[in-house]
Amino acid sequence: MELGMIGLGRMGGNMVQRLLEAGHRVVAYDTNPDAVTAYQAMGAQGASSLQDLVGMLAPPRPVWLMLPQGQPTEDTMQLLAPLLNSGDVILDGGNANYKDTLRRAGELGSKGIDLVDVGTSGGIWGLAEGYTLMVGGRKEVFQRLEPIFQSLAPGADRGYSHIGPVGAGHFVKMVHNGVEYALMEAYAEGFEILAAKEEFDLDLPSIANTWRHGSVVRSWLLDLVVSALEDDPSLSDLEAYVEDSGEGRWTVQESVDLAVPAPVITLSLLQRFRSRQAQPFGAKLLAALRNQFGGHPVRRTNNGDG
């Protein structure tokens, strides 16, 4: 098959390479011309603009966007849509909010253009291991493009599926990332407890490696724990500062909207917020209150009086 790929960052670029290795024709475009040149060297057809990319594809055209969610995706779709014809398809593999996906699908549908939302998991390992693909959109469009999904997935018979109508792919990926937050937090807390038991002088990489085999907590995330701890057992080169991509927030908000309790996912998100605060005001107020009602000692900053 042939496919247009817009966005040649780590994920998009690796997808291009995987598709080329599977024998597909890929027309690649990025605002960075050097990225286009790099994938041309691997066998992709390079496009100099969105218009150029569309002109190099035969109708009905499938065009995959692998861009940051929010404005970059919004702007690109607004520029791309007038260049496409009825029957063409835009596939959005980024971490878009499913509500934005539903709105965009309505706008594109009025022009006869299908939007397929592909919740994509796999990160930098996707090139070698394949990507998990959660696909939303019309079933007949999914079936027509299935060879693309099969080539990107871990296998032709696994790791991808048609989740439901448009919007469902990004919704399921959102919840997937919320679960991921919670699993990561559980590992982080467990290994912090192990590290704090100093009298046992525990070998954390060895423990993590032991858990990988036969344990009920074994997982690919645990494999990555081993990799991180073997590189730096004390993690001394890292700051305790954890960003969030936004999907954990959306998952928590959805749990509120649906009145479905999600305490573990919610707390894992709040822990990320706390990691970014060097001197959280709330903790200072707790200290002040203990001092106020019980006379408990407090620690003063260097710029305090006395």
Side-chain angles (χ1 to χ4, degrees):
M1 293 192 70
E2 68 173 17
L3 176 81
M5 179 67 76
I6 298 173
L8 302 176
R10 287 180 298 177
M11 291 274 282
N14 283 347
M15 285 180 161
V16 168
Q17 188 173 341
R18 192 171 173 90
L19 290 169
L20 290 172
E21 290 173 355
H24 297 284
R25 176 177 179 264
V26 181
V27 180
Y29 172 71
D30 193 279
T31 54
N32 177 7
D34 292 340
V36 177
T37 301
Y39 287 98
Q40 277 182 297
M42 296 182 189
Q45 305 296 304
S48 59
S49 66
L50 294 178
Q51 188 168 9
D52 189 27
L53 178 140
V54 170
M56 295 171 71
L57 295 169
R61 305 171 184 86
V63 182
W64 190 303
L65 272 60
M66 207 64 200
L67 300 168
Q69 65 90 10
Q71 210 59 47
T73 296
E74 185 74 27
D75 291 346
T76 302
M77 282 202 190
Q78 293 293 331
L79 292 171
L80 180 63
L83 304 175
L84 298 177
N85 298 325
S86 178
D88 291 343
V89 181
I90 295 178
L91 301 98
D92 182 6
N95 285 334
N97 188 308
Y98 81 95
K99 296 177 182 177
D100 288 333
T101 299
L102 291 173
R103 172 181 55 78
R104 291 166 182 158
E107 295 170 353
L108 293 169
S110 66
K111 304 172 184 176
I113 301 168
D114 274 290
L115 178 60
V116 172
D117 53 311
V118 187
T120 305
S121 180
I124 60 175
W125 296 86
L127 174 59
E129 302 292 335
Y131 299 90
T132 298
L133 305 173
M134 296 148 264
V135 186
R138 289 200 299 133
K139 187 67 174 288
E140 52 268 39
V141 176
F142 166 82
Q143 291 172 333
R144 174 160 60 87
L145 299 176
E146 194 165 3
I148 295 292
F149 305 132
Q150 289 174 324
S151 297
L152 290 172
D157 59 348
R158 61 188 184 276
Y160 77 97
S161 62
H162 180 252
I163 297 295
V166 66
H170 282 152
F171 181 83
V172 173
K173 176 55 164 51
M174 174 191 76
V175 176
H176 165 283
N177 278 27
V179 172
E180 180 184 290
Y181 277 38
L183 292 172
M184 292 171 67
E185 180 64 25
Y187 282 125
E189 292 178 10
F191 279 91
E192 185 168 8
I193 294 170
L194 294 174
K197 197 66 174 176
E198 295 179 356
E199 60 265 39
F200 285 164
D201 191 25
L202 297 173
D203 185 336
L204 299 188
S206 176
I207 292 168
N209 198 39
T210 299
W211 287 0
R212 292 172 65 198
H213 306 284
S215 165
V216 295
V217 300
R218 65 187 184 273
S219 73
W220 183 58
L221 280 174
L222 185 58
D223 296 343
L224 298 180
V225 170
V226 172
S227 178
L229 292 177
E230 285 181 343
D231 289 344
D232 183 7
S234 66
L235 302 181
S236 56
D237 289 340
L238 298 178
E239 291 187 11
Y241 186 101
V242 187
E243 283 286 5
D244 70 284
S245 64
E247 295 215 337
R249 301 185 190 209
W250 302 341
T251 305
V252 170
Q253 185 59 57
E254 198 68 29
S255 77
V256 173
D257 293 344
L258 295 173
V260 175
V264 176
I265 293 175
T266 301
L267 286 174
S268 68
L269 173 65
L270 298 182
Q271 279 293 96
R272 295 193 179 200
F273 295 163
R274 180 64 86 184
S275 77
R276 302 171 207 165
Q277 298 177 294
Q279 289 289 335
F281 182 83
K284 291 182 179 182
L285 186 56
L286 285 174
L289 286 172
R290 290 186 77 245
N291 177 258
Q292 289 288 325
F293 70 72
H296 300 289
V298 293
R299 297 187 180 185
R300 300 287 182 181
T301 60
N302 290 334
N303 59 2
D305 294 335

